[in-house]
Amino acid sequence: MDAAKGQYINFMPDIMRLLAEDGLLISDNVLQDGDVIESRYAVVRRNRTIHSRMREYLYTLTHHEQLTTSLLPLGDGVTLSV
């Protein structure tokens, strides 16, 4: 997935519906220039909504009962979910 970062979490229901049982979900730009690993208060105010939504998306991916997810710190971050 490479879409509007703040909308990744909203795409999850459709992704799970469309993803084949043995499919691979690759999510790009999940670390958003490293901002996602920072405290919410260290992020520039205008980026806080995207920061919160991306953290919610990452939490959902890593705690989803049907997915096994790895986060790779390549570029702006990539997740691989099976």
Side-chain angles (χ1 to χ4, degrees):
M1 176 169 31
D2 188 14
K5 293 182 283 271
Q7 300 302 314
Y8 279 17
I9 190 68
N10 295 325
F11 294 136
M12 275 301 293
D14 289 327
I15 289 169
M16 294 309 298
R17 182 177 53 81
L18 296 171
L19 190 64
E21 188 172 320
D22 59 347
L24 173 66
L25 169 61
I26 301 171
S27 301
D28 193 23
N29 301 322
V30 296
L31 295 179
Q32 186 169 350
D33 298 325
D35 283 350
V36 172
I37 59 174
E38 295 290 336
S39 164
R40 179 180 193 278
Y41 301 104
V43 175
V44 178
R45 188 169 186 259
R46 70 175 184 269
N47 292 335
R48 287 185 183 164
T49 299
I50 292 172
H51 177 268
S52 297
R53 288 181 181 176
M54 186 54 72
R55 286 189 117 184
E56 181 183 0
Y57 176 71
L58 289 172
Y59 182 88
T60 301
L61 275 183
T62 57
H63 291 85
H64 199 284
E65 60 191 35
Q66 294 175 294
L67 296 174
T68 300
T69 300
S70 293
L71 192 147
L72 304 173
L74 300 171
D76 280 339
V78 176
T79 58
L80 303 173
S81 303
V82 183

